[in-house]
Amino acid sequence: MNEQTYEQEISLQRVFYRVLRDWRKCFIIALVVAIAVGAGNFALKEIQLSTPEKLESAKMDYNRELTAYEAEGESLKREIENLEEMRTQQETYNDASILMQINPFREFNASVQLYVSTDYKIQPGSTYQDIDLSGRVLQSYLTYMQNGEMYQDILDRLTEKIEMRYLQEIFSFSSSYDTRMVTLRIRGVDEQSCREVLDYALEGIYSKREEILTAIGDHELNSLNQSIYETVNLDLDAWQKSNRQYVSDLSVNTKEKLDDLTEWRLSPKPEKEYEQSAIAKDSLKKMILGFIIVAVLVAAFIAFRSILSDKVQAAQDLKGRFGLRMIAQIPRTRKKRAWGWIDRGFAKMGGLTVRESESEQLVALAAQSICAELTARTAEKGDGKNTKPETIKLAFTGSVAEEDIKALLSGMKWENGFSADSVPNILQNPTAVSAVTGADYVILVEKQEVSSYSQIERELEELKAWKKEVLGVIVLGVDGIPA
């Protein structure tokens, strides 16, 4: 009976049941607060919009919000269109580009050097010198090679048609006017394609010689160091990977923007908050939100009160805390209420076993149990002989109202040789002391969520000091399954 040595375990099932048992209380409190919040919000906005200035300001706010809402949607649509167009263009390029088809670890290259020579000579000692036409001739060939005319000549001869831009990107040029040389390099997927393009390029270049010869002057065009070779180009590998990754990034960005657009379409369109329908809708939202918040807060309050309370929360705790025999648990009887099936469902979820309709039967059973125990004790003391005092006096007391004890005793039927008296609270009523000391045995009567553990501990200490044996405890008002 030492409270300090008892560690009460918190039963989550019991705590949840305490909350569910009072669902009507949670519902009513939450509903009242929700109605007050909704009505207050409706009245407040009606008052605010009753003046022309406030109404005009609300309309301007609506127009701004609507414009911003529609602008956001149009912006998302344009971004998606741009991203899809960029992705399509990049995919088309990746599929058609010759550079994207080249294996960077087996890149084929065709190169040739073109040398321009003229009969120009410096005449020593002469004031007048002939004009050196080498630079003009070289520039004419470079112009032909770079302005698109050469590419078109090649395209006209190729059997596999491609766009000019893809042909241009496989060519590279380097020139030196000092040496009067041009280096032409062509990249390709294989040796044959490189050789074919190089041959067509040289044919086109040599076909321009007569035209340049007539326009500028006599010269010779010679090709040197013509070759086709294979190499590894790690820069090309990185460039190809970058192009492919760019398509992937565009796809991801498009997906994100599509998600944003879907979210925008699902988002509520700005409403005319100055209209009564919008005010009523907003008030209804606040009512629902207020109902949920208050219901949760009330449920949390009930749960914490149950955990922190010193009141008897479960009859079984008295046995574990004080070692008392549980004689009976008498359920409280309530009137039938609406939605009783919900109460019955919650009671079964809470693990309750007794029914409220069994209250009278359990009271009578408690009396028979007490009589049977005392008869067995008497027989044991008399070595099996049925010898017992003329009357065994029982005192029923506890930290409940005396009326509750009398109501309990009125439902008990005692055998001959037993008498039961209701005794007031021994901690508060001086007359209870003589009544208890004159009895043979004491039975505590406590009430769930009324009696406290500290009161019961003090009662047990007093009874121990008076050398009175406590047969056990009867707990009233326990939770039962409603009818």
Side-chain angles (χ1 to χ4, degrees), residues 296-411:
V296 171
L297 290 177
V298 174
F301 173 77
I302 293 173
F304 279 109
R305 184 183 64 179
S306 173
I307 294 173
L308 301 177
S309 176
D310 186 48
K311 304 294 184 182
V312 176
Q313 300 295 322
Q316 296 85 345
D317 291 343
L318 297 178
K319 180 179 179 180
R321 187 185 289 263
F322 304 112
L324 294 174
R325 177 197 168 214
M326 184 59 57
I327 297 175
Q329 300 180 46
I330 311 302
R332 56 178 175 175
T333 303
R334 298 173 292 183
K335 296 180 180 180
K336 288 187 178 181
R337 296 183 290 180
W339 310 97
W341 59 273
I342 297 179
D343 295 317
R344 288 191 291 274
F346 288 157
K348 292 178 181 179
M349 290 173 58
L352 303 185
T353 56
V354 297
R355 298 180 178 274
E356 294 182 1
S357 58
E358 300 172 348
S359 178
E360 295 181 0
Q361 181 181 353
L362 292 173
V363 170
L365 181 61
Q368 295 300 317
S369 176
I370 295 171
C371 292
E373 179 183 356
L374 294 178
T375 300
R377 286 191 179 191
T378 303
E380 184 179 358
K381 291 180 180 179
D383 296 329
K385 298 179 180 180
N386 189 12
T387 58
K388 60 181 180 180
E390 294 182 358
T391 302
I392 296 178
K393 296 180 180 181
L394 302 174
F396 288 77
T397 186
S399 56
V400 297
E402 189 175 2
E403 291 76 11
D404 292 335
I405 300 177
K406 290 180 179 180
L408 173 68
L409 294 179
S410 65

Side-chain angles (χ1 to χ4, degrees), residues 31-293:
L31 183 62
V32 170
V33 175
I35 292 174
V37 170
N41 180 75
F42 186 87
L44 180 62
K45 289 199 171 183
E46 282 288 340
I47 294 173
Q48 290 177 344
L49 298 174
S50 60
T51 60
E53 294 80 6
K54 292 289 185 180
L55 182 60
E56 187 64 27
S57 176
K59 290 181 179 180
M60 293 177 62
D61 292 340
Y62 165 75
N63 291 330
R64 283 195 296 268
E65 292 177 1
L66 181 61
T67 301
Y69 174 83
E70 294 175 345
E72 181 182 1
E74 292 299 324
S75 176
L76 288 173
K77 292 176 183 178
R78 286 194 300 270
E79 290 181 14
I80 292 172
E81 291 176 358
N82 293 335
L83 288 171
E84 289 179 343
E85 182 179 358
M86 293 168 62
R87 183 183 63 182
T88 301
Q89 292 177 351
Q90 187 65 43
E91 288 176 343
T92 302
Y93 175 81
N94 289 350
D95 293 337
S97 172
I98 298 175
L99 289 182
M100 291 297 297
Q101 298 171 16
I102 295 175
N103 182 354
F105 299 97
R106 293 194 65 189
E107 180 189 72
F108 288 87
N109 291 262
S111 68
V112 64
Q113 287 182 314
L114 299 175
Y115 173 70
V116 175
S117 63
T118 62
D119 58 357
Y120 172 77
K121 293 181 180 179
I122 299 176
Q123 299 179 8
S126 176
T127 304
Y128 174 80
Q129 298 290 334
D130 293 335
I131 299 175
D132 186 1
L133 301 177
S134 301
R136 299 180 185 181
V137 173
L138 183 62
Q139 181 61 46
S140 298
Y141 282 110
L142 280 174
T143 301
Y144 165 75
M145 287 185 280
Q146 294 177 345
N147 68 358
E149 187 178 354
M150 181 187 71
Y151 301 120
Q152 189 59 52
D153 292 340
I154 296 174
L155 292 174
D156 293 339
R157 299 185 181 190
L158 287 175
T159 55
E160 184 178 352
K161 301 301 180 182
I162 61 173
E163 294 183 27
M164 183 179 293
R165 57 174 175 161
Y166 303 128
L167 182 62
Q168 287 177 322
E169 65 183 6
I170 65 173
F171 277 82
S172 61
F173 306 94
S174 61
S175 61
S176 171
Y177 288 97
D178 293 335
T179 60
R180 293 175 287 181
M181 297 183 68
V182 176
T183 301
L184 171 64
R185 187 166 73 96
I186 302 169
R187 294 188 283 179
V189 295
D190 53 36
E191 182 179 351
Q192 181 181 354
S193 62
C194 288
R195 188 182 303 279
E196 182 182 17
V197 174
L198 178 60
D199 291 343
Y200 291 153
L202 289 176
E203 289 178 12
I205 293 171
Y206 279 108
S207 67
K208 295 293 291 184
R209 182 178 181 281
E210 292 299 327
E211 181 180 339
I212 298 174
L213 184 65
T214 303
I216 300 177
D218 189 26
H219 65 278
E220 292 292 334
L221 180 64
N222 302 302
S223 60
L224 305 172
N225 300 324
Q226 182 175 340
S227 64
I228 298 177
Y229 58 93
E230 182 180 341
T231 185
V232 175
N233 192 341
L234 297 180
D235 291 337
L236 177 62
D237 180 53
W239 179 79
Q240 290 178 346
K241 290 179 180 178
S242 175
N243 283 344
R244 296 189 184 100
Q245 183 62 41
Y246 184 54
V247 174
S248 177
D249 292 342
L250 288 174
S251 299
V252 172
N253 293 337
T254 303
K255 178 63 170 58
E256 291 176 352
K257 292 300 178 182
L258 285 172
D259 292 341
D260 292 341
L261 182 61
T262 301
E263 184 178 352
W264 172 82
R265 286 172 176 166
L266 295 176
S267 64
K269 191 176 181 180
E271 297 181 352
K272 298 178 180 180
E273 296 183 356
Y274 49 87
E275 293 183 349
Q276 284 195 343
S277 59
I279 297 176
K281 187 176 181 180
D282 181 67
S283 299
L284 180 61
K285 290 180 181 178
K286 286 183 168 58
M287 284 179 61
I288 296 174
L289 182 61
F291 179 87
I292 296 173
I293 293 175

